[in-house]
Amino acid sequence: MQTARCAAHEHTAPRNGCTCGIYAWYDPPARTASAGTAELVAGAVALWGQLELHAHGMRAEHAVLVALALPLSRGAKRTRLVAAAAALGVPAVPARRLVATASAHGEPIARWMRPPDLEPNKRKAPGPPDPARLHMVADGYRR
Ligand SMILES: [Zn+2]
């Protein structure tokens, strides 16, 4: 289990307007996303405590890794990932099984709870950053 701590301020992480917290996307990356790198792997986490929801992901106070996704390749990366999963005590599952495996540890954030993406044009020149909007505090990680 990991608990976020703010390195910049004396407050519980995450805090609205700050960047602290444990980051996670709502949806797993494409199965081929890790193919081009030796380091990037996909996994699933259960989050609880204070959460700040954003359009594509969230920041959390507490997290625990619940699964790692096996890479498509059968080389050294897969061997290292299986060893890491065993050392961490989590299953290494095919990417197509990641969501189902994670579902044993809790519910995904419902789509209606996710705030809209107010900046869908990512190629637009960035303006001043808007403070993140606090939408929800959620508790209740189910064992
Ligand atoms: Zn902070």
Side-chain angles (χ1 to χ4, degrees):
M1 183 190 99
Q2 300 290 317
T3 296
R5 285 181 185 76
C6 185
H9 305 100
E10 292 286 327
H11 59 226
T12 304
R15 173 69 58 94
N16 183 246
C18 197
T19 58
C20 54
I22 299 166
Y23 286 61
W25 285 319
Y26 296 123
D27 300 308
R31 291 178 191 173
T32 55
S34 71
T37 74
E39 296 85 16
L40 180 67
V41 298
V45 290
L47 305 174
W48 70 98
Q50 183 155 305
L51 301 178
E52 183 164 289
L53 305 180
H54 295 266
H56 302 286
M58 61 200 130
R59 296 187 289 133
E61 182 178 3
H62 304 289
V64 65
L65 180 69
V66 299
L68 290 174
L70 290 166
L72 294 173
S73 68
R74 301 224 170 247
K77 182 176 181 177
R78 176 180 283 243
T79 303
R80 290 195 317 271
L81 185 133
V82 169
L88 294 166
V90 299
V93 300
R96 67 180 180 281
R97 297 282 314 142
L98 191 59
V99 171
T101 303
S103 295
H105 299 273
E107 302 273 333
I109 299 293
R111 198 162 290 279
W112 66 265
M113 296 170 73
R114 303 175 190 179
D117 187 351
L118 300 177
E119 198 65 50
N121 182 0
K122 302 295 188 245
R123 289 171 179 253
K124 194 176 120 189
D130 289 328
R133 295 181 300 147
L134 182 62
H135 284 268
M136 187 158 302
V137 173
D139 282 313
Y141 170 64
R142 290 184 306 154
R143 279 274 166 199

